[in-house]
Amino acid sequence: MRVELRKWLRKNAGYVAIWIFMGLTLLALVIREIGVYTLVVIAPFLPPFVIAMVKMARELRKR
Amino acid sequence: MALLIGSGFPNLDVFPTLLRKKTPKDPINETHASTILHTVFLYLVILPLLYLALSAIGWSDSWNIALSFSLGGVIHVLTESFDQKGRRLLYPVSKKFYGIRVLPYDFWTYLTDKKVLALEGGLFILAFLLLVF
């Protein structure tokens, strides 16, 4: 499905906030549990995360 | 930690989806979740190989690490087989996608689906309790 990102984000801000809250809370708890080794767990996913963020920023800047 | 790494490992096939030029009309045709990384078979193969490799280099707990990694991968694949795409659960015997297709697959729909939020919210609370207490 293709969405118009800006509109989609505005319409679903509540869902986005819940997902971000859950993600950041668990990240904080994992860091508390395994400390610096968290980097080993998340390192393989940093490149796709960066690519996704760049694409998203580009999409938002377009309009 | 091996469980966490294993449970994230199947998602490394997200790269072709992220780097694609055009969005396919049907999200079910995406490369993501269609590769061998999203099969139970791979983790059954990895389990003894990882155990042998870790034992060979003298790691203690090599069985626990190999089992945790593989279990993480298998749980990931089985949990995701509840979406509309299903997963190649019987690979290499069959290349068909199997699963109980009750959840959406498309990313944007997934994020705003109440059933998904209830399931993920429940898992979040469970993980929260496990990590806090």
Side-chain angles (χ1 to χ4, degrees), chain A residues 1-3 5 8-9 12 14-16 18-19 21-27 29-30 32-34 36-38 40-42 44-49 51-53 55-56, chain B residues 1 4-5 8-12 14-15 17-21 23-27 106-114 116-117 120-121 123-124 127-128 130-133:
Chain A
M1 189 168 87
R2 182 146 181 82
V3 296
L5 196 54
W8 186 91
L9 283 172
N12 299 296
Y15 283 103
V16 174
I18 294 170
W19 282 105
F21 167 76
M22 292 198 297
L24 290 181
T25 307
L26 284 187
L27 180 64
L29 288 172
V30 169
R32 195 184 76 142
E33 192 70 21
I34 60 174
V36 74
Y37 294 108
T38 309
V40 180
V41 177
I42 64 169
F45 300 99
L46 287 179
F49 178 74
I51 294 167
M53 287 300 115
K55 284 185 106 175
M56 225 178 239
Chain B
M1 207 168 84
L4 281 177
I5 296 172
F9 190 74
N11 274 345
L12 286 176
V14 77
F15 276 103
T17 298
L18 278 176
L19 297 172
R20 70 190 172 199
K21 289 267 189 297
T23 307
K25 277 188 184 152
D26 188 351
D106 173 64
F107 177 73
W108 305 103
T109 316
Y110 189 89
L111 288 184
T112 54
D113 187 271
K114 288 193 173 72
V116 170
L117 203 60
E120 298 265 13
L123 292 173
F124 165 76
F128 182 89
L130 278 172
L131 286 165
V132 169
F133 302 109

Side-chain angles (χ1 to χ4, degrees), chain B residues 59-81:
Chain B
W59 278 37
S60 58
D61 279 345
S62 49
W63 175 248
N64 283 342
I65 294 170
L67 186 64
S68 301
F69 179 88
S70 301
L71 210 57
V74 170
I75 290 170
H76 179 128
V77 174
L78 293 180
T79 313
E80 284 194 346
S81 69

